[in-house]
Amino acid sequence: MTTLKNCILSHDEITHKIRRIAYQIYEANSNETEVILAGIDSNGYILAKKLKTVLSKISPIQPILCKVIIDKKNPLEVIKTSISKEDYTNKSVILIDDVLNSGTTLIYGVKHFLDVPLKKFKTAVLVNRNHKKYPVKADFKGISFSTSLNEHVEVILEGKNFEVNLK
């Protein structure tokens, strides 16, 4: 059986959304000298790297990348980060993922970062599907749309053509 896919965001649209989110991050953190971009492995981290590139070009803020490793099937497992807690203590942190679906991954990611005092904490996603089962929201989002529970959002952020498809 062939799975039909509908392109929701093209390469150019994704590039535009990333730039817009970077400007929103800059505006929300204009008083900061640095900001932690904590990307959830794997697509969230790829998105964080792309946001870092744009943020570095448009602002004086020093973006620091942090890879967040969460077992998405078992989020109660130990969460690991590529930088130490001391590196993000009393800093502005943005937790980044590609898709906000049920909110499970983001809520457990938020929980991890609340073990230390933070200056500010926000979340960013490329796609918000509006199927939340936890009270977590995306402060910065590329696109919001409702889907059925049996539809799948596929995000491709590597290679020559980025796209977001609904399957």
Side-chain angles (χ1 to χ4, degrees), residues 62-84:
Q62 158 109 33
I64 298 168
L65 273 177
C66 172
K67 183 183 279 189
V68 181
I69 300 154
I70 298 176
D71 181 347
K72 292 185 178 190
K73 295 199 183 338
N74 191 0
L76 289 172
E77 291 294 315
V78 175
I79 295 172
K80 297 178 183 151
T81 57
S82 63
I83 63 174
S84 69

mmCIF file of all heavy atoms in Angstrom, residues 62-84:
data_model
loop_
_atom_site.group_PDB
_atom_site.id
_atom_site.type_symbol
_atom_site.label_atom_id
_atom_site.label_comp_id
_atom_site.label_asym_id
_atom_site.label_seq_id
_atom_site.Cartn_x
_atom_site.Cartn_y
_atom_site.Cartn_z
ATOM 1 N N GLN A 62 25.170 35.490 21.865
ATOM 2 C CA GLN A 62 25.970 34.281 21.635
ATOM 3 C C GLN A 62 25.070 33.068 21.882
ATOM 4 O O GLN A 62 24.719 32.775 23.022
ATOM 5 C CB GLN A 62 27.151 34.263 22.593
ATOM 6 C CG GLN A 62 27.731 32.899 22.839
ATOM 7 C CD GLN A 62 29.075 32.739 22.198
ATOM 8 O OE1 GLN A 62 29.836 33.661 22.096
ATOM 9 N NE2 GLN A 62 29.355 31.539 21.770
ATOM 10 N N PRO A 63 24.663 32.344 20.828
ATOM 11 C CA PRO A 63 23.856 31.134 21.039
ATOM 12 C C PRO A 63 24.771 29.945 21.368
ATOM 13 O O PRO A 63 25.779 29.730 20.696
ATOM 14 C CB PRO A 63 23.146 30.929 19.707
ATOM 15 C CG PRO A 63 23.911 31.716 18.706
ATOM 16 C CD PRO A 63 24.777 32.697 19.428
ATOM 17 N N ILE A 64 24.421 29.219 22.412
ATOM 18 C CA ILE A 64 25.183 28.039 22.815
ATOM 19 C C ILE A 64 24.313 26.821 22.568
ATOM 20 O O ILE A 64 23.191 26.731 23.089
ATOM 21 C CB ILE A 64 25.590 28.129 24.301
ATOM 22 C CG1 ILE A 64 26.506 29.344 24.493
ATOM 23 C CG2 ILE A 64 26.255 26.844 24.766
ATOM 24 C CD1 ILE A 64 26.741 29.715 25.924
ATOM 25 N N LEU A 65 24.822 25.887 21.779
ATOM 26 C CA LEU A 65 24.064 24.672 21.459
ATOM 27 C C LEU A 65 24.166 23.654 22.577
ATOM 28 O O LEU A 65 25.228 23.465 23.169
ATOM 29 C CB LEU A 65 24.602 24.029 20.183
ATOM 30 C CG LEU A 65 24.038 24.517 18.871
ATOM 31 C CD1 LEU A 65 24.733 23.818 17.715
ATOM 32 C CD2 LEU A 65 22.547 24.338 18.776
ATOM 33 N N CYS A 66 23.056 22.979 22.812
ATOM 34 C CA CYS A 66 22.993 21.900 23.792
ATOM 35 C C CYS A 66 22.142 20.788 23.195
ATOM 36 O O CYS A 66 21.002 21.031 22.803
ATOM 37 C CB CYS A 66 22.371 22.417 25.084
ATOM 38 S SG CYS A 66 22.014 21.136 26.305
ATOM 39 N N LYS A 67 22.701 19.599 23.122
ATOM 40 C CA LYS A 67 21.924 18.454 22.641
ATOM 41 C C LYS A 67 21.242 17.804 23.851
ATOM 42 O O LYS A 67 21.888 17.529 24.864
ATOM 43 C CB LYS A 67 22.819 17.426 21.946
ATOM 44 C CG LYS A 67 22.020 16.261 21.360
ATOM 45 C CD LYS A 67 22.917 15.209 20.740
ATOM 46 C CE LYS A 67 23.334 15.627 19.367
ATOM 47 N NZ LYS A 67 24.034 14.558 18.635
ATOM 48 N N VAL A 68 19.942 17.580 23.734
ATOM 49 C CA VAL A 68 19.159 16.966 24.804
ATOM 50 C C VAL A 68 18.764 15.571 24.341
ATOM 51 O O VAL A 68 18.086 15.421 23.327
ATOM 52 C CB VAL A 68 17.894 17.799 25.121
ATOM 53 C CG1 VAL A 68 17.099 17.170 26.251
ATOM 54 C CG2 VAL A 68 18.270 19.244 25.448
ATOM 55 N N ILE A 69 19.198 14.566 25.091
ATOM 56 C CA ILE A 69 18.924 13.182 24.711
ATOM 57 C C ILE A 69 17.842 12.626 25.627
ATOM 58 O O ILE A 69 18.053 12.450 26.831
ATOM 59 C CB ILE A 69 20.209 12.336 24.766
ATOM 60 C CG1 ILE A 69 21.228 12.934 23.795
ATOM 61 C CG2 ILE A 69 19.918 10.885 24.423
ATOM 62 C CD1 ILE A 69 22.645 12.647 24.140
ATOM 63 N N ILE A 70 16.671 12.404 25.021
ATOM 64 C CA ILE A 70 15.494 11.884 25.729
ATOM 65 C C ILE A 70 15.040 10.627 25.002
ATOM 66 O O ILE A 70 14.926 10.623 23.785
ATOM 67 C CB ILE A 70 14.329 12.902 25.720
ATOM 68 C CG1 ILE A 70 14.711 14.190 26.443
ATOM 69 C CG2 ILE A 70 13.067 12.308 26.339
ATOM 70 C CD1 ILE A 70 13.638 15.271 26.393
ATOM 71 N N ASP A 71 14.751 9.574 25.766
ATOM 72 C CA ASP A 71 14.142 8.379 25.183
ATOM 73 C C ASP A 71 12.663 8.705 25.009
ATOM 74 O O ASP A 71 11.893 8.715 25.973
ATOM 75 C CB ASP A 71 14.349 7.179 26.105
ATOM 76 C CG ASP A 71 13.762 5.890 25.549
ATOM 77 O OD1 ASP A 71 12.976 5.937 24.570
ATOM 78 O OD2 ASP A 71 14.066 4.824 26.100
ATOM 79 N N LYS A 72 12.255 9.005 23.772
ATOM 80 C CA LYS A 72 10.884 9.458 23.520
ATOM 81 C C LYS A 72 9.840 8.392 23.846
ATOM 82 O O LYS A 72 8.709 8.716 24.152
ATOM 83 C CB LYS A 72 10.740 9.938 22.081
ATOM 84 C CG LYS A 72 11.513 11.217 21.825
ATOM 85 C CD LYS A 72 11.290 11.754 20.444
ATOM 86 C CE LYS A 72 12.048 13.059 20.268
ATOM 87 N NZ LYS A 72 11.714 13.766 19.058
ATOM 88 N N LYS A 73 10.240 7.119 23.806
ATOM 89 C CA LYS A 73 9.298 6.042 24.147
ATOM 90 C C LYS A 73 9.215 5.830 25.659
ATOM 91 O O LYS A 73 8.239 5.321 26.169
ATOM 92 C CB LYS A 73 9.704 4.747 23.451
ATOM 93 C CG LYS A 73 9.612 4.847 21.929
ATOM 94 C CD LYS A 73 9.552 3.492 21.284
ATOM 95 C CE LYS A 73 9.534 3.472 19.793
ATOM 96 N NZ LYS A 73 9.115 4.594 19.053
ATOM 97 N N ASN A 74 10.252 6.228 26.373
ATOM 98 C CA ASN A 74 10.287 6.107 27.829
ATOM 99 C C ASN A 74 10.925 7.367 28.416
ATOM 100 O O ASN A 74 12.085 7.346 28.842
ATOM 101 C CB ASN A 74 11.057 4.851 28.249
ATOM 102 C CG ASN A 74 10.888 4.559 29.723
ATOM 103 O OD1 ASN A 74 10.192 5.286 30.433
ATOM 104 N ND2 ASN A 74 11.533 3.520 30.193
ATOM 105 N N PRO A 75 10.180 8.481 28.434
ATOM 106 C CA PRO A 75 10.761 9.762 28.855
ATOM 107 C C PRO A 75 11.138 9.837 30.335
ATOM 108 O O PRO A 75 11.781 10.802 30.745
ATOM 109 C CB PRO A 75 9.669 10.772 28.502
ATOM 110 C CG PRO A 75 8.410 9.985 28.499
ATOM 111 C CD PRO A 75 8.774 8.605 28.059
ATOM 112 N N LEU A 76 10.761 8.830 31.128
ATOM 113 C CA LEU A 76 11.158 8.833 32.535
ATOM 114 C C LEU A 76 12.600 8.376 32.737
ATOM 115 O O LEU A 76 13.154 8.528 33.817
ATOM 116 C CB LEU A 76 10.213 7.953 33.367
ATOM 117 C CG LEU A 76 8.807 8.532 33.552
ATOM 118 C CD1 LEU A 76 7.896 7.508 34.205
ATOM 119 C CD2 LEU A 76 8.856 9.800 34.379
ATOM 120 N N GLU A 77 13.196 7.820 31.678
ATOM 121 C CA GLU A 77 14.618 7.448 31.748
ATOM 122 C C GLU A 77 15.448 8.715 31.956
ATOM 123 O O GLU A 77 14.989 9.817 31.701
ATOM 124 C CB GLU A 77 15.051 6.743 30.457
ATOM 125 C CG GLU A 77 14.450 5.367 30.268
ATOM 126 C CD GLU A 77 14.937 4.362 31.300
ATOM 127 O OE1 GLU A 77 16.151 4.310 31.578
ATOM 128 O OE2 GLU A 77 14.083 3.628 31.834
ATOM 129 N N VAL A 78 16.680 8.537 32.370
ATOM 130 C CA VAL A 78 17.573 9.670 32.606
ATOM 131 C C VAL A 78 17.744 10.477 31.323
ATOM 132 O O VAL A 78 17.992 9.922 30.257
ATOM 133 C CB VAL A 78 18.947 9.183 33.117
ATOM 134 C CG1 VAL A 78 19.928 10.344 33.239
ATOM 135 C CG2 VAL A 78 18.795 8.471 34.447
ATOM 136 N N ILE A 79 17.590 11.780 31.433
ATOM 137 C CA ILE A 79 17.781 12.691 30.307
ATOM 138 C C ILE A 79 19.202 13.222 30.391
ATOM 139 O O ILE A 79 19.665 13.625 31.458
ATOM 140 C CB ILE A 79 16.750 13.839 30.357
ATOM 141 C CG1 ILE A 79 15.339 13.270 30.164
ATOM 142 C CG2 ILE A 79 17.058 14.907 29.318
ATOM 143 C CD1 ILE A 79 14.221 14.252 30.376
ATOM 144 N N LYS A 80 19.887 13.216 29.249
ATOM 145 C CA LYS A 80 21.268 13.688 29.199
ATOM 146 C C LYS A 80 21.353 14.929 28.327
ATOM 147 O O LYS A 80 20.591 15.077 27.374
ATOM 148 C CB LYS A 80 22.176 12.595 28.626
ATOM 149 C CG LYS A 80 22.216 11.358 29.482
ATOM 150 C CD LYS A 80 23.076 10.297 28.842
ATOM 151 C CE LYS A 80 23.015 9.053 29.719
ATOM 152 N NZ LYS A 80 23.180 7.838 28.998
ATOM 153 N N THR A 81 22.304 15.802 28.682
ATOM 154 C CA THR A 81 22.562 16.989 27.878
ATOM 155 C C THR A 81 24.049 17.051 27.537
ATOM 156 O O THR A 81 24.880 16.539 28.287
ATOM 157 C CB THR A 81 22.157 18.280 28.612
ATOM 158 O OG1 THR A 81 22.844 18.347 29.856
ATOM 159 C CG2 THR A 81 20.656 18.338 28.853
ATOM 160 N N SER A 82 24.355 17.672 26.414
ATOM 161 C CA SER A 82 25.751 17.763 25.966
ATOM 162 C C SER A 82 26.546 18.820 26.723
ATOM 163 O O SER A 82 27.762 18.878 26.591
ATOM 164 C CB SER A 82 25.805 18.043 24.463
ATOM 165 O OG SER A 82 25.205 19.295 24.186
ATOM 166 N N ILE A 83 25.874 19.658 27.493
ATOM 167 C CA ILE A 83 26.576 20.613 28.351
ATOM 168 C C ILE A 83 26.154 20.359 29.791
ATOM 169 O O ILE A 83 25.094 19.793 30.054
ATOM 170 C CB ILE A 83 26.329 22.085 27.926
ATOM 171 C CG1 ILE A 83 24.859 22.473 28.060
ATOM 172 C CG2 ILE A 83 26.822 22.332 26.513
ATOM 173 C CD1 ILE A 83 24.570 23.947 27.786
ATOM 174 N N SER A 84 26.978 20.781 30.728
ATOM 175 C CA SER A 84 26.699 20.515 32.141
ATOM 176 C C SER A 84 25.642 21.474 32.682
ATOM 177 O O SER A 84 25.376 22.531 32.095
ATOM 178 C CB SER A 84 27.984 20.656 32.959
ATOM 179 O OG SER A 84 28.374 22.017 33.002
#
